[in-house]
Amino acid sequence: PPAFLANPGLQLSPFGSSDARAWYGPAGSALALAAGVAAVALLRRGALPRAAAVLAAAPALALGLLALTLAYHPWQGRFLAFPFACSAALWGLVLRRNALAWAAASALAAGALLALVYAEEKPSGLRLLEPTRTPSAWRLSRAELQTLQRLDFRPLARALDEHVPADGHMALALGRDGFGFLAFGPRLQRHVSLVPVGSSGTGVAAGWLLADRSRARAIDTACWQPVVRSAGGVLFKRRDEACRRPGRTP
């Protein structure tokens, strides 16, 4: 798929169900297309205002603008949320015909079932035809569930849950496509500070520091002791109190 050609670092399977890659699904795309065709036909008959035609064309216009300005990436489907919402205002036009209404309802029901069964971010543990089974999201730990798409961060996620206090103060040294939301904790209780690019972390008042792979080498190990290393980055613990910024507390 183009996503893997444009972004060779992505660790994504071309199979399975993922909201990042499926965007609005085949049924949503078909409904947007059908609503557009119906809007054009009704507009020619004078049975629909021109503003409705603009709503129907919103997904196509936004997709064209996206293709001209940005390279393809699986997570860019979020930019089409509002255009698809505009189009959805006209999807009721498709329901005027019973055959189309039943076809749309059947496609959406099948899509919802398959999306639930084969969800990659939150696996159900169910399978329809395959003999193999994957663990259910309900049986995975928080660290395992949060890193299903980023296995290189799993050791760091476990260490954050096991060693860092739930209400502690953490520093984040993020690079490109940083994976730092784990630092905030399951209830968002931790205070998190960002380490400026180019900084070694010596002036940051925090007891722990999470640095991704691109920033870990710049962290001053005289002040920060590496606790856990993984392919995704390094979790550090404050080594020397003298390295704290004056006037700040952890």
Side-chain angles (χ1 to χ4, degrees):
F4 298 91
L5 298 178
N7 303 276
L10 291 177
Q11 300 296 319
L12 298 175
S13 170
F15 305 101
S17 173
S18 171
D19 55 357
R21 298 193 307 279
W23 292 12
Y24 305 98
S29 301
L31 282 170
L33 179 61
V37 173
V40 171
L42 293 175
L43 181 64
R44 289 182 175 180
R45 298 176 186 175
L48 201 66
R50 293 183 178 180
V54 175
L55 295 178
L61 294 175
L63 185 60
L65 180 61
L66 193 65
L68 291 174
T69 55
L70 297 173
Y72 174 80
H73 195 286
W75 288 277
Q76 287 177 353
R78 63 185 184 273
F79 297 137
L80 296 176
F82 181 72
F84 261 82
C86 293
S87 172
L90 302 175
W91 288 1
L93 296 175
V94 179
L95 304 181
R96 292 182 177 183
R97 294 183 176 274
N98 289 336
L100 291 178
W102 279 104
S106 300
L108 289 169
L113 174 63
L114 294 174
L116 172 64
V117 172
Y118 294 103
E120 295 180 355
E121 288 83 0
K122 294 179 176 63
S124 64
L126 303 174
R127 283 295 179 267
L128 297 179
L129 300 175
E130 299 85 343
T132 58
R133 295 174 62 90
T134 57
S136 169
W138 302 105
R139 297 186 178 182
L140 297 176
S141 67
R142 177 177 180 271
E144 292 173 330
L145 183 59
Q146 295 292 328
T147 56
L148 283 175
Q149 302 297 310
R150 291 296 301 269
L151 296 178
D152 54 339
F153 269 85
R154 179 160 293 179
L156 299 176
R158 288 173 174 168
L160 286 170
D161 288 345
E162 294 173 1
H163 301 301
V164 182
D167 57 350
H169 185 176
M170 285 208 62
L172 271 178
L174 299 177
R176 183 178 180 182
D177 292 331
F179 198 63
F181 72 91
L182 296 172
F184 290 86
R187 298 185 181 277
L188 307 179
Q189 290 179 296
R190 296 192 185 115
H191 177 67
V192 178
S193 301
L194 296 179
V195 180
V197 176
S199 171
S200 62
T202 56
V204 178
W208 297 82
L209 188 152
L210 178 63
D212 68 14
R213 180 174 52 187
S214 64
R215 300 281 305 278
R217 292 184 179 180
I219 302 302
D220 186 357
T221 54
C223 293
W224 297 96
Q225 176 184 357
V227 177
V228 177
R229 297 179 182 271
S230 78
V234 182
L235 176 65
F236 297 89
K237 184 178 182 180
R238 172 70 65 178
R239 186 193 296 271
D240 188 355
E241 291 289 333
C243 292
R244 295 187 189 277
R245 181 184 301 174
R248 295 291 298 274
T249 56

